[in-house]
Amino acid sequence: MNESTQTETAAGTPTGYGYCSWHQRFAADVRLIDVIEQGSGPGGAHYACSPCREAYGLVPFADR
Ligand SMILES: [Zn+2]
């Protein structure tokens, strides 16, 4: 087992491992779908995994 190369989770990364807002579980290869702008606070973002993008016809934020 080689755990020396850990993936960094940078904020705003369009792809990678993350929380899918549609099936509400962590999944690989999630894409940023929507960004929620808020006046105060960190705001939020909706990510969807590949199966959910196909199932719900979601278009990644970066592809619009
Ligand atoms: Zn999903």
Side-chain angles (χ1 to χ4, degrees), residues 4-55:
S4 61
T5 54
Q6 290 221 331
T7 49
E8 294 181 14
T9 48
T13 304
T15 62
Y17 188 83
Y19 188 80
C20 175
S21 299
W22 273 260
H23 75 267
Q24 303 192 333
R25 290 201 135 192
F26 281 92
D29 191 30
V30 294
R31 293 289 304 271
L32 177 64
I33 302 299
D34 225 345
V35 179
I36 304 149
E37 301 277 352
Q38 289 185 346
S40 61
H46 283 152
Y47 292 85
C49 64
S50 183
C52 283
R53 290 200 307 273
E54 288 194 20

